[in-house]
Amino acid sequence: MHRVAVLAVPPATTFDLSIPELVFGSALVNGAPAYEVRVGAPDPGLVEAYGGLQVSVRHGLEVVDGADTVIVTGTGARSEADPRVLAALRRAAAAGSRIASICTGAFVLAQAGLLDGHRATTYWPFSAELAQRFPAVDVVGDVLFVDDGAVLTSAGLAAGMDLCLHLVRSDHGAAVAAAVARLAVVSPARYGDQAQVAAEPPSAAGAFSLAGTRAWALGRLDQPLALVDLAAHAHTSVRTLTRRFQAETGLTPLQWLLDQRVDRARELLELTDLPVERVAERSGLGSADSLRHHLSRRVRLTPTAYRRRYSGPSPGTGTGTTPGTGLSASSAPGS
C-alpha cells in the first residue's frame, strides 16, 4: 500500500489538511484501499490552525520516514518554518519520496531547498513573494498545479484537490481518479495548466451558465463539435461563448473539449479492450495517430503503454476513511 505522509505545519489551513485524506482515503483498487494516509506535526497534540481552531494530531514527524509521498499543506509559516520539519523533508527527498505541497506549503518546501531549480506554484496572492524570496525557484504564477517530477506544488484551496486527484490518476489511472472525484462531487480532471483565477468574477456572468452546454458536450464527445455547435446549444454567439467559457472554467472551449476527450480515451483504454482506433473514434480524437499524439503529450505514454500500465478490473469506490490518520478537529479553547 502506498504510504502518504501529510505534514501539518502550524498555523495550518484546516481545509487543505483535510484534502489528502478525502482523496487518497477514498481510492480503491480491486476493492482494496490504495493508500494509507497519516498526518504528522512537529509537536503531536493540539496544533494551531486558522479560524480560531485547533486540530488534534496524534503523530509526529516519524510519519515521514518510509513514506512514498510527503505532502505539506497550507500554512502561515511562510517566513520561518520549524527546522525539524525542514530536516524531515530533506530526509524524505534524499530517500526518494515524492514531495508535494498544497497552497503556501510551497514556502516550506522552498525553505528546505527542495524547489531550487524546479518549476513551482502557490496560491496566487503569494506568487510574487515566493519568486522574490527564492530566486532559484522557477515560479509559475497562474496555474492550478505544477508536476515537476519528484516535486509537485499546487495553488490554494480547491487546487489541492486537483493535485491529489492528479497523483491518484498518475498512480492508478483515470478511472480510479474519476471514481474518487465522483465521491467528492468535483470535476474529475482539472489539469495543472488551467488558470487559477477566472477571466471574470463569477458575479459578472449573472445567472448565465454554460454548465448545461458542457454536460451536453460530454454526451457527444464521439461526435464532431465546433464552436458554432456549442454556441448554438447555449443560444449565444461564439464570441460570448468563448468569453463565458473562460470565465467559468479558465479554459477556452476547444481546450476544455480536448481535455475531456483525452480523459475519455484514458478510461476506454483502462476499462475496455477496444482497438486503439476505436478508442480514438469513441473519444472524438479521430485517429490512432491523434490519440497517440495527445496522450503522449499529456501523460508521456503511448496508448499501448498506457493500457499495459493501467488496465484492469473496473475500479471500486469507497467512502470509508483510512484508519490511523491521527487527525480530528476541535474548537480552540475560548473560541
Side-chain angles (χ1 to χ4, degrees):
M1 187 183 298
H2 189 113
R3 291 184 55 192
V4 179
V6 182
L7 295 188
V9 180
T13 303
T14 53
F15 180 79
D16 294 354
L17 199 56
S18 69
I19 289 171
E21 170 61 23
L22 172 65
V23 174
F24 297 113
S26 299
L28 298 184
V29 175
N30 298 332
Y35 300 90
E36 177 190 31
V37 184
R38 290 195 176 185
V39 180
D43 297 299
L46 291 180
V47 174
E48 181 185 357
Y50 283 106
L53 299 175
Q54 292 181 325
V55 291
S56 178
V57 179
R58 291 203 306 269
H59 303 294
L61 296 177
E62 73 278 358
V63 298
V64 168
D65 298 323
D68 300 289
T69 297
V70 178
I71 302 174
V72 181
T73 58
T75 172
R78 302 199 314 275
S79 299
E80 188 175 352
D82 191 310
R84 294 172 294 172
V85 172
L86 303 183
L89 287 169
R90 295 183 186 114
R91 187 169 68 247
S97 299
R98 181 170 61 184
I99 308 295
S101 67
I102 296 174
C103 194
T104 50
F107 283 83
V108 181
L109 299 190
Q111 290 175 58
L114 302 184
L115 298 184
D116 289 356
H118 289 279
R119 296 170 68 250
T121 194
T122 189
Y123 186 29
W124 66 267
F126 304 114
S127 294
E129 179 185 345
L130 183 66
Q132 181 179 14
R133 288 181 52 199
F134 302 99
V137 181
D138 181 8
V139 178
V140 185
D142 193 23
V143 295
L144 290 179
F145 63 83
V146 172
D147 181 342
D148 204 42
V151 181
L152 302 93
T153 52
S154 86
L157 302 173
M161 189 168 293
D162 296 311
L163 173 63
C164 290
L165 285 169
H166 169 73
L167 293 176
V168 173
R169 194 179 300 111
S170 299
D171 293 340
H172 299 292
V176 173
V180 174
R182 282 193 293 272
L183 287 172
V185 198
V186 297
S187 170
R190 292 202 305 169
Y191 290 106
D193 52 6
Q194 186 169 330
Q196 289 187 38
V197 184
E200 301 176 11
S203 59
F208 184 88
S209 172
L210 292 171
T213 295
R214 291 195 296 274
W216 175 83
L218 283 173
R220 293 163 175 79
L221 290 180
D222 60 336
Q223 303 173 22
L225 290 173
L227 286 175
V228 291
D229 301 315
L230 297 173
H233 183 272
H235 303 292
T236 188
S237 67
V238 169
R239 183 175 180 179
T240 298
L241 172 91
T242 301
R243 179 165 56 85
R244 295 299 192 201
F245 219 100
Q246 288 183 301
E248 291 184 26
T249 70
L251 298 170
T252 68
L254 295 183
Q255 287 173 324
W256 179 86
L257 267 177
L258 178 59
D259 285 349
Q260 307 314 308
R261 284 175 165 152
V262 171
D263 262 13
R264 178 66 55 82
R266 291 171 73 169
E267 292 191 11
L268 290 171
L269 288 169
E270 293 171 32
L271 302 178
T272 76
D273 57 1
L274 288 170
V276 172
E277 291 79 5
R278 287 287 293 135
V279 170
E281 292 171 6
R282 289 184 57 176
S283 61
L285 292 172
S287 67
D289 285 342
S290 177
L291 169 59
R292 187 175 300 107
H293 169 76
H294 290 296
L295 189 67
S296 297
R297 182 173 175 271
R298 179 62 68 183
V299 299
R300 301 183 183 89
L301 291 172
T302 65
T304 301
Y306 185 90
R307 173 170 272 165
R308 187 182 303 118
R309 177 171 177 178
Y310 292 116
S311 63
S314 299
T317 60
T319 56
T321 57
T322 304
T325 60
L327 174 65
S328 62
S330 63
S331 297
S335 63

